[in-house]
């Protein structure tokens, strides 16, 4: 009877276990998905790699590297992977943990004594996992103005100490809010422990062992390579080629080392296979870059995110791993991450032994393409019915941009009709200082206020009166759209400015321009 009962339990359990899909998808099917997406999104160029069961299903390029040269994209075309570099940071830390040089729960101050957060408890207890799991308690994008726009004079010392001036918006370790700058602190730990720069560590300990020979860390390393994609922005179904952001600021002593990995479909295949093979690589998988134990740590939810129910995937859990976003789809773990700038996405389904990577050279519409392509391919491997992901993401992008544009257009329309006769610009002119962004000069240029940051010169532009004590500043050279800001002056009893705060005009102002942590006070005249 016990044997029958045991057998019945096993049958019931097996019936409840997620069934591994046996669906096979051909390179022609994938090629058709990408081509259809390229026809529907305004993207200059893209590249794709799909691996399944240890085999390469497709590696291929589409479109052009530049709308000026019209050079064709192929599997070796180099793209910046932006925030997908975060997974490289996690892998580098895992290597050091395997070597016994640190533990995941080491307090940051054990390795960087000068590190400071917004209160003593956070400073003393902030550990390495906290750095790379977006659970700091700060607002999304806090500190990004030290990175964007390019050309500022911020150093690693600024990154390590400026967070003491930031105001938390949630309790420490309770909510997820995306933060890139704290990953730079993790990079600094890698540098101090290894004795070489973060970029050198990535090159020597990850790219070279995996034979990712056409990949590199840092935009400057791509300048002598012949097959590098240029950066484009799509707006209103038109493409504009933009200057590729370069954080290699040689003019500043101890300049902040912030950049990302540049790679291609061919090389990133090795990166996906490394993870699907549980940290193993090389002929017959006899070499181990990082341990399976640490991969389990990387792919464990450390920060929970509220999961929106999607009946298509029956997802119940969602959260942040170490450099990866994690969720369950139809009973399978999905590890995925998106990179901005040149929009790209990497998605791994370990128990399907499946990896999908899509690279583009285009912001905005590139976001729609990488997600539509990934979801369409993923659905086929999951054996799901057809779903129009292209329309879904086009509608989403159009709605998002249309709503945001309407808000911005209304602001500038108001500015055009606002009476400015009562303004005395002298009441606003002067030097203002924020504890971490430093000094901003408000001056009069051609009978118009002018905003100029001394530490970040591209934060510069004319100011236009909006309402009450608020002006709108239009940046002349920020390098990204939807970044213009309100400057809201505080006045004394005589009507003279004594300080100001800022916030983005557009509701989709990118996190790099999250202004709420700025609090400027007017400096006394000499």
């Amino acid at each position: 009877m016990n044997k029958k009962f045991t057998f019945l339990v096993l049958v019931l359990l097996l019936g409840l276990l997620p069934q591994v899909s046996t669906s096979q998808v051909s390179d022609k099917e994938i090629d058709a998905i990408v081509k259809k997406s390229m026809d529907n999104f305004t993207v200059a160029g893209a590249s794709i790699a799909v691996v399944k069961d240890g085999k390469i299903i497709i590696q291929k390029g589409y479109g052009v590297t530049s709308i000026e040269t019209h050079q064709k994209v192929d599997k070796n075309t180099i793209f910046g992977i932006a925030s997908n570099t975060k997974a490289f940071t996690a892998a580098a830390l895992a290597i050091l943990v395997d070597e016994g040089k640190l533990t995941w729960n080491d307090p940051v101050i054990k390795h960087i004594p000068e590190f400071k957060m917004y209160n003593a408890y956070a400073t003393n207890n902030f550990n390495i996992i906290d750095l790379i799991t977006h659970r700091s308690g700060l607002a999304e994008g806090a500190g990004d103005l030290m990175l964007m726009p390019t050309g500022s004079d911020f150093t690693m010392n600024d990154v390590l100490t400026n967070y003491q001036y930031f105001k938390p918006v949630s309790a420490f370790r309770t909510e997820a809010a995306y933060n890139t700058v704290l990953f730079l602190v993790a990079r600094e730990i890698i540098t101090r422990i290894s004795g070489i720069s973060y970029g050198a560590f990535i090159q020597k300990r990850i790219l070279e062992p995996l034979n990712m020979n056409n990949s590199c860390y840092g935009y400057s390393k791509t300048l002598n390579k012949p097959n590098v994609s240029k950066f484009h922005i799509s707006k209103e179904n038109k493409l504009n080629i933009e200057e590729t952001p370069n954080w290699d600021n040689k003019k500043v002593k101890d300049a902040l080392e912030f950049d990302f990995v540049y790679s291609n479909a061919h090389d990133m295949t090795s990166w996906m296979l490394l993870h699907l093979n549980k940290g193993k690589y090389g002929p017959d998988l006899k070499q181990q870059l990082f341990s399976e134990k640490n991969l389990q740590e990387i792919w464990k939810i450390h920060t929970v995110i509220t999961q929106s129910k999607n009946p298509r995937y029956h997802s119940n859990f969602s959260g942040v791993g170490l450099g990866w976003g994690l969720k369950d789809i139809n009973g399978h773990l999905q590890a995925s991450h998106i990179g901005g700038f040149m929009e790209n996405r990497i998605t791994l389904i370990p128990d399907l032994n499946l990896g999908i990577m899509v690279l583009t050279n285009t912001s905005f519409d590139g976001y729609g393409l990488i997600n539509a392509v990934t979801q369409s391919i993923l659905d086929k491997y999951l054996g799901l019915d057809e779903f129009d992901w292209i329309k879904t993401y086009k509608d989403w992008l159009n709605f998002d941009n249309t709503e945001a544009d309407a808000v911005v257009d209304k602001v500038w329309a108001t500015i055009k009709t606002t009476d400015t006769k009562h303004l005395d610009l002298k009441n606003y002119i002067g030097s203002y200082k924020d504890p971490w962004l430093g000094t901003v000069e408000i001056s009069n240029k051609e009978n118009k206020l002018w905003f100029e940051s001394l530490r970040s010169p591209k934060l510069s532009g004319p100011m236009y009166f909006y309402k009450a004590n608020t002006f709108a500043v239009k940046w002349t050279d920020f390098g990204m759209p939807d970044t213009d800001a309100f400057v809201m002056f505080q006045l004394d009893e005589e009507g003279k400015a004594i300080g100001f705060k800022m916030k983005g005009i557009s509701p989709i102002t990118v996190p790099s321009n999250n202004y709420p942590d700025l609090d400027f006070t007017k400096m006394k005249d000499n």
Side-chain angles (χ1 to χ4, degrees), residues 410-415 417-420 422-423 428 464-472 486-489 491:
K410 186 177 180 180
V411 169
W412 291 108
T414 299
I415 288 171
T417 59
T418 299
D419 184 7
T420 60
H422 68 287
L423 285 178
Y428 303 94
Y464 302 87
F465 179 69
Y466 176 56
K467 292 179 181 179
N469 305 321
T470 299
F471 289 74
F486 286 123
V487 175
M488 301 163 289
F489 286 98
L491 307 181

Side-chain angles (χ1 to χ4, degrees), residues 256-303:
L256 187 63
E257 183 192 15
F258 172 68
D259 213 322
F260 30 79
V261 170
Y262 284 76
S263 191
N264 54 50
H266 176 271
D267 284 6
M268 289 299 288
T269 298
S270 299
W271 178 244
M272 290 193 291
L273 289 172
L274 169 75
H275 288 78
L276 295 172
N277 291 323
K278 301 176 181 179
K280 296 178 181 178
Y281 69 100
D284 302 320
L285 301 180
K286 292 182 178 180
Q287 295 171 282
Q288 192 94 32
L289 194 75
F290 48 75
S291 66
E292 183 178 349
K293 177 182 178 182
N294 275 322
L295 180 59
Q296 291 173 351
E297 193 71 31
I298 288 171
W299 282 348
K300 181 172 75 177
I301 289 179
H302 293 271
T303 307

Side-chain angles (χ1 to χ4, degrees), residues 372-387:
V373 169
T374 299
Q375 295 304 133
S376 298
I377 296 171
L378 183 57
D379 283 358
K380 284 187 174 292
Y381 277 107
L382 291 171
L384 298 178
D385 60 312
E386 292 285 337
F387 183 83

Side-chain angles (χ1 to χ4, degrees), residues 382-443:
L382 291 171
L384 298 178
D385 60 312
E386 292 285 337
F387 183 83
D388 195 345
W389 286 111
I390 291 175
K391 182 179 185 303
T392 297
Y393 279 102
K394 279 186 73 70
D395 289 348
W396 183 84
L397 285 173
N398 289 337
F399 175 80
D400 204 28
N401 289 330
T402 300
E403 291 290 303
D405 288 346
V407 172
V408 174
D409 290 345
K410 186 177 180 180
V411 169
W412 291 108
T414 299
I415 288 171
K416 286 182 179 179
T417 59
T418 299
D419 184 7
T420 60
K421 294 178 182 177
H422 68 287
L423 285 178
D424 185 351
L425 298 185
K426 294 194 297 293
N427 289 334
Y428 303 94
I429 291 171
S431 299
Y432 298 79
K433 190 169 185 179
D434 174 77
W436 65 272
L437 192 66
T439 301
V440 161
E441 297 283 356
I442 305 292
S443 60

Side-chain angles (χ1 to χ4, degrees), residues 312-353:
R312 187 170 183 80
Y313 297 116
H314 306 288
S315 298
N316 295 292
F317 307 104
S318 180
V320 182
L322 307 184
W324 294 87
L326 306 171
K327 67 189 300 184
D328 65 313
I329 55 168
N330 287 10
H332 307 295
L333 169 69
Q334 173 183 283
S336 186
H337 207 287
I338 288 174
F341 165 55
M342 292 184 179
E343 307 280 1
N344 61 96
R345 177 175 169 180
I346 301 174
T347 301
L348 304 176
I349 314 294
D351 61 351
L352 295 185
N353 207 0

Side-chain angles (χ1 to χ4, degrees), residues 84-105:
N84 267 308
T85 303
K86 289 178 169 67
F88 282 80
T89 301
L93 289 168
I95 291 170
L96 295 174
V97 171
D98 282 331
E99 293 174 350
K101 295 178 180 177
L102 56 80
T103 73
W104 292 113
N105 291 312

